[in-house]
Amino acid sequence: MKRIITSIFVCCALGVASARNHAEIEVSYVAHTPSHRDGKTDLTNQYILLANSSESKFYSPMTEYIDSLNSTPEGKAKYQEMTRNAYLGGKLDKLPRKDGSCYVVKSFPENKFLCYDNAGLERYFYEEEPEEWHWTVSDATKEILGYECVEATADFHGRKWNVWFSPEIPVQNGPWKLDGLPGLILEAESEGGQYRFVATGLQQTDKLITPVYLTDEYEKTSRMDFLKAKRSFIDNPLGEINSRFGGDATTISTQDENGNAISSNERIYVTRELVDFIETDYK
């Protein structure tokens, strides 16, 4: 498999890859993020990178599945039935739940990235131009999934990243927005370790790189405005909820992870001094 994957991307680099929209490689990642509730818990989400030499999509397969169901009347009815059956059967662990919220779609010929994500109750998308990376490559190496990887570091949108990439898989891509190295990024960690991406599987594929579902439900914005909207919700979620639904912030309450009521006077999320977003340059 190792030689097969390497050969595929040598062909891609020579311009003989299959038609666009079909991926050549599928990489599974575990994304580690800190809980904004307590600033301590390490949350994990399962993501997939589908990529060929010209485009890619980084997404949560469970989230995409739920979005695909909700994109049609028939699928929405199926989703509601699945939810109802889980509740009635007392099997809450079987509830279809989203696992991660962001989609990152890269188009190298068009020189743009499209990012789709949630900020509180709202969905937004924004466009970015590919970053001009300034990676510092070290002499350190280690093996990941049977491939020899090389260490590199760079600053990106407020955080310093340490990554491991494999020149044996010569595709300039990686998890989330990370790329720009002569090889696939298989592990990445922000300074301090709050955010991490770890590849857990790698295989050849011819899957279609399908468009993001429900794009008409995402409001167009800029990256900075998205991060500021997300911060506004984190800092005052009850106020944002009441503003949207016309409620009274003095009476609305929610629950913590143990089911205990939280009043509107209590802070639901920790401050950004304890836990900030994966991108911190919006301040």
Side-chain angles (χ1 to χ4, degrees), residues 11 86 124 127 153-154 163 176 190 203 211 213 239 243 263-264 269 271:
C11 290
Y124 295 98
E127 184 176 317
T153 57
V163 307
W176 184 53
S190 67
Q203 63 182 356
Y213 290 97
S243 175
S263 75
S264 59
Y269 301 106
T271 65

Side-chain angles (χ1 to χ4, degrees), residues 76-93:
K76 188 173 294 186
K78 180 180 178 181
Y79 177 67
Q80 291 171 347
E81 181 182 2
M82 293 165 61
T83 301
R84 182 172 58 252
N85 290 340
Y87 273 114
L88 294 177
K91 299 179 180 179
L92 298 184
D93 59 325

Side-chain angles (χ1 to χ4, degrees), residues 12 18-21 51-56 106-110 173:
C12 288
S18 62
R20 286 187 63 194
N21 298 326
N52 60 34
S53 60
S54 61
E55 62 183 331
S56 66
K106 301 176 183 178
S107 174
F108 295 105
E110 296 178 9
N173 217 321

Side-chain angles (χ1 to χ4, degrees), residues 178-199:
L178 302 171
D179 60 23
L181 284 161
L184 180 67
I185 297 171
L186 294 178
E187 284 190 14
E189 182 174 333
S190 67
E191 188 173 38
Q194 286 191 323
Y195 291 90
R196 288 186 294 138
F197 299 97
V198 180

Side-chain angles (χ1 to χ4, degrees), residues 17 30 40 42 45 104 127-128 151 158 163 210 249 251 256 258:
V30 175
K40 301 175 183 178
D42 177 39
N45 302 105
V104 179
E127 184 176 317
E128 284 187 84
E151 183 183 40
V163 307
T210 56
T251 60
D256 63 19
N258 298 316

